[in-house]
Each structure stands twice: as C-alpha cells, then as structure tokens.
Amino acid sequence: QQQVKQSPQSLIVQKGGISIINCAYENTAFDYFPWYQQFPGKGPALLIAIRPDVSEKKEGRFTISFNKSAKQFSLHIMDSQPGDSATYFCAARGGGYQKVTFGTGTKLQVIP
Amino acid sequence: NAGVTQTPKFQVLKTGQSMTLQCAQDMNHEYMSWYRQDPGMGLRLIHYSVGAGITDQGEVPNGYNVSRSTTEDFPLRLLSAAPSQTSVYFCASSFQGAVTEAFFGQGTRLTVV
C-alpha cells in the first residue's frame, strides 16, 4: 500500500522556470512532511520540511505548499537551475513509531 | 566528522550467499535505519533502531537481520541472498528519531546473481 503518492515520475523544466512536484497522503496521523534531494551516486539529503499546522514554508527558491483538508502537499522550485537537476522525494512521518514513508521520487532535469 | 559511513559501496553476491552491510555514524544519533531504493519504488524502510539494543521491523524486513550493540554501528545482514534483493541500500541516522533531519550514507549497490 503506497501511503504517499508522488507525481510526476519525471519532469523537464527550462532554466528559470518553475518546477512543481506533488504528493498526496492517506494517513491523517502523519505529522511531519520533509522533502529530500538526491544527486546521482549520493544519499538523499533533507531539503525542506513542514508541519501540518502551517500552509506554506519558503526557504530561498524552494517552497512547500500544504493543504491539510485535501491531504496534499507540493514542492515548488522557483527560478530552476541546472544544478537543481536531481531526484526529489517527498516523505511523511507517522503511522507507526518513528517511521518515515517516502514517495516514489521525481527525477527533475533542468535544461539550459 | 564523517557523518554516516557505509561499506562496501558495491557488492556482487551469488544467490544463497550471506553478507553484512556495514553502517557507522559518528554523530551520537539515537535513531538509525536501513532503506532499500528500487526504481519506481522510492525508499522503503527495512529495519530501524531507536537506540542500542532496540530494533524493529520496517516495511520490507523479510530476508534481512539487524542488531544494534553500540550507538555508532547498525549492520544489516542478508541471510541468504536472492535476486530480489538486488538494490541500492541506504543507512540513515537522526538525533531524535524521525522527527529531525535524517542523514543518509552514500549507499551500497548490491547485485545478486
């Protein structure tokens, strides 16, 4: 059972454009929603995270939008750069003691 | 400060062989976990530990064993390797369980033939 659904699977964006990755969850017990960025040959690294009592969180060019009633959250990358090309994973904590459930990942390619 | 160190980085096993993937962290983190990453499947939790001497199963524990004798080390044992265990394995650690940032190792790419 996929508890966190992520889309799209891959995304190509032109330099300077906006990249948008969406995630949806089912378990209302989830209480923490991090996004991880993974470059080829590396482990994932925390990019930004949000709690469900906040509707939006912004860090530089990266913004998480959170819709608790719809059980959806999304990552927006403004002014996308080639260096942002990576795989992005949304995740959710909860539904069991200290467990984090990951989405299936989105491979982002930013072309010049 | 090395963070999370995984060894080996690459491994090829024959079906039925056993092996141990090593994971060590030097950040004094209580929480450690093992994930496997497969195309189109994301990261799936295999086992996790909330402290020395305490381990529990994740989403896909079958075929794997873990132990946590020290805070620093969390090895993952494959008992009898199967081709279905071909994957990239990541170890992660965090200070206060899954609440805080998880630091991942570089991964071990395992192929079972």
Side-chain angles (χ1 to χ4, degrees):
Chain A
Q1 181 185 5
Q2 185 64 45
Q3 294 195 56
V4 179
K5 295 183 179 180
Q6 183 172 348
S7 62
Q9 190 172 0
S10 63
L11 182 62
I12 299 175
V13 173
Q14 210 135 31
K15 179 182 175 182
I18 302 173
S19 304
I20 301 174
I21 303 170
N22 300 300
C23 285
Y25 63 97
E26 300 165 1
N27 190 340
T28 54
F30 288 148
D31 61 0
Y32 176 71
F33 300 88
W35 283 87
Y36 282 82
Q37 180 187 54
Q38 183 182 30
F39 293 105
K42 304 292 185 182
L46 181 67
L47 182 64
I48 186 172
I50 197 168
R51 295 191 184 274
D53 54 348
V54 176
S55 61
E56 186 176 280
K57 183 173 181 179
K58 183 176 180 180
E59 290 185 1
R61 296 184 294 108
F62 300 90
T63 300
I64 301 178
S65 297
F66 190 86
N67 186 330
K68 188 174 181 178
S69 61
K71 292 187 285 186
Q72 295 175 347
F73 58 111
S74 60
L75 176 69
H76 295 235
I77 306 174
M78 311 300 287
D79 187 26
S80 299
Q81 299 296 312
D84 297 331
S85 297
T87 298
Y88 293 81
F89 292 96
C90 62
R93 184 192 84 109
Y97 181 62
Q98 297 187 344
K99 292 181 183 177
V100 175
T101 301
F102 284 83
T104 51
T106 297
K107 187 172 183 178
L108 170 66
Q109 184 181 0
V110 181
I111 56 176
Chain B
N1 192 341
V4 179
T5 303
Q6 287 183 239
T7 56
K9 290 187 178 178
F10 302 94
Q11 183 70 50
V12 179
L13 284 179
K14 292 183 179 179
T15 297
Q17 285 185 318
S18 62
M19 80 159 295
T20 299
L21 307 185
Q22 301 292 344
C23 176
Q25 54 93 6
D26 61 0
M27 297 174 281
N28 200 31
H29 284 169
E30 303 162 343
Y31 184 90
M32 296 185 74
S33 54
W34 277 100
Y35 291 88
R36 58 178 291 173
Q37 183 175 18
D38 303 290
M41 302 290 286
L43 291 151
R44 292 182 292 169
L45 182 64
I46 304 171
H47 285 285
Y48 67 98
S49 169
V50 300
I54 306 169
T55 64
D56 204 349
Q57 296 181 350
E59 183 184 353
V60 288
N62 293 341
Y64 308 95
N65 269 359
V66 292
S67 60
R68 184 94 179 270
S69 56
T70 66
T71 300
E72 295 78 18
D73 300 299
F74 191 43
L76 178 73
R77 281 182 290 276
L78 279 71
L79 309 174
S80 178
S84 61
Q85 293 179 303
T86 293
S87 186
V88 180
Y89 291 85
F90 288 99
C91 177
S93 75
S94 61
F95 180 55
Q96 288 181 337
V99 175
T100 59
E101 177 180 359
F103 293 85
F104 283 80
Q106 298 264 36
T108 295
R109 184 174 292 276
L110 175 68
T111 302
V112 182
V113 298

